[in-house]
Amino acid sequence: MKRLAALMAAGALALGLAACGSSSGPAAEAPASPDGTWGVEAEGQPWMNLGSDGKISGSDGCNNLVGQWTQKDGVVDLGAMGSTMMYCEGVDSWLSGAATATISGEKMTFSDAKGDQIGALTRSK
């Protein structure tokens, strides 16, 4: 009988210690990786490639874009992007004004320096 009581006590202790190591809520998900191409590389269309090396290349539909990006807490910081300065009639060059971006599924939503949403692109590669 003492042996059974000792085994039950040891089992209860083991369960108690195991419970201490578990989390009480769902595991935090890692932010989605922005690496890849967003939008379609077609004339007059905005697209952006975020390289795994932290480099940006792309187009606002008219001008070429270059720069560097970082990600922290799920927000992609696009830093200071450089661009060509061509005039293209009828092209909305909103992407050249992007400062940050967030990802939800396969959609990247871009915001300007004031935090206003200015557009979105879908992952293509």
Side-chain angles (χ1 to χ4, degrees):
M1 187 60 109
K2 287 183 183 182
R3 186 172 183 186
L4 179 58
L7 285 174
M8 289 177 65
L13 178 62
L15 284 174
L17 290 174
C20 289
S22 66
S23 66
S24 60
E29 292 185 32
S33 173
D35 296 7
T37 300
W38 300 84
V40 178
E41 295 181 48
E43 186 175 335
Q45 297 299 311
W47 64 273
M48 184 177 286
N49 180 274
L50 302 178
S52 60
D53 59 357
K55 293 186 179 176
I56 296 171
S57 61
S59 171
D60 63 8
C62 176
N63 292 288
N64 294 323
L65 305 172
V66 295
Q68 295 187 333
W69 66 271
T70 58
Q71 183 178 31
K72 182 177 180 184
D73 300 328
V75 176
V76 179
D77 182 352
L78 302 172
M81 288 191 293
S83 106
T84 57
M85 299 295 288
M86 297 183 294
Y87 171 75
C88 298
E89 189 172 338
V91 175
D92 181 357
S93 58
W94 63 268
L95 188 56
S96 62
T100 61
T102 55
I103 301 169
S104 178
E106 296 298 303
K107 179 180 172 183
M108 182 178 282
T109 302
F110 296 87
S111 298
D112 62 16
K114 293 185 277 181
D116 296 331
Q117 289 185 0
I118 57 174
L121 296 173
T122 303
R123 187 186 297 269
S124 60
K125 294 182 192 173

